[in-house]
Amino acid sequence: MQINRTGSAQWSGGLKDGKGQISTQSGALNHYPYGFASRFEGVPGTNPEELIGAAHAGCFTMALSLILNEAGFTAESMETTAKVTLESVEGGFAISAIHLTLTGKVPGADEAKFTELANKAKAGCPVSKALASVPISLEVRTA
């Protein structure tokens, strides 16, 4: 089975004065604005790092749901935040770390088991695999 999804970006102008728009195949984002100011100066709009964070949090949490089910558990609730760190390095910028923070309530699973299964999901989710060159850490909290 092979699934292809697309995202696109349009840009006009220079780096600091230019403006861009990001779109997704599904239409969840449709010409959504992004630019230098939204990436580096906190101006409203999106940026690649928060989109990577959202994709990683979504993929990880979905993978964990599967792993929990395979282990005989069903989550009552789970929430994951992915903090993506972009920093200046020699030669430009790089994503230097991703920190996942998971809070979940899983009846029947103690904190140790929940953490074990969450680590399995972190290692196995497709987005984690795609981002393997970046250190990924995980903090697990029970609700």
Side-chain angles (χ1 to χ4, degrees):
M1 178 168 119
Q2 181 181 25
I3 299 171
N4 295 298
R5 303 283 189 241
T6 60
S8 63
Q10 299 169 321
W11 188 268
S12 60
L15 174 63
K16 288 191 176 183
D17 66 342
K19 296 190 184 317
Q21 300 176 349
I22 293 176
S23 299
T24 58
Q25 176 182 340
S26 68
L29 296 174
N30 189 17
H31 302 288
Y32 199 84
Y34 82 107
F36 184 88
S38 65
R39 192 171 193 187
F40 296 104
E41 298 171 351
V43 171
T46 193
N47 57 73
E49 291 73 37
E50 78 175 4
L51 295 171
I52 289 170
H56 198 182
C59 183
F60 162 77
T61 308
M62 193 176 220
L64 179 53
S65 178
L66 171 65
I67 289 167
L68 286 168
N69 287 153
E70 289 173 342
F73 303 105
T74 300
E76 184 175 309
S77 65
M78 291 189 292
E79 183 176 337
T80 304
T81 302
K83 179 177 144 188
V84 177
T85 302
L86 177 71
E87 61 185 343
S88 180
V89 297
E90 188 176 322
F93 284 85
I95 293 174
S96 59
I98 299 172
H99 182 72
L100 300 170
T101 302
L102 166 67
T103 303
K105 186 172 184 179
V106 182
D110 63 17
E111 188 171 348
K113 187 65 171 177
F114 186 46
T115 299
E116 173 194 333
L117 297 175
N119 276 298
K120 186 175 176 183
K122 178 181 78 93
C125 97
V127 173
S128 287
K129 290 177 182 179
L131 299 171
S133 66
V134 177
I136 300 169
S137 57
L138 173 63
E139 177 182 349
V140 178
R141 303 174 185 160
T142 54

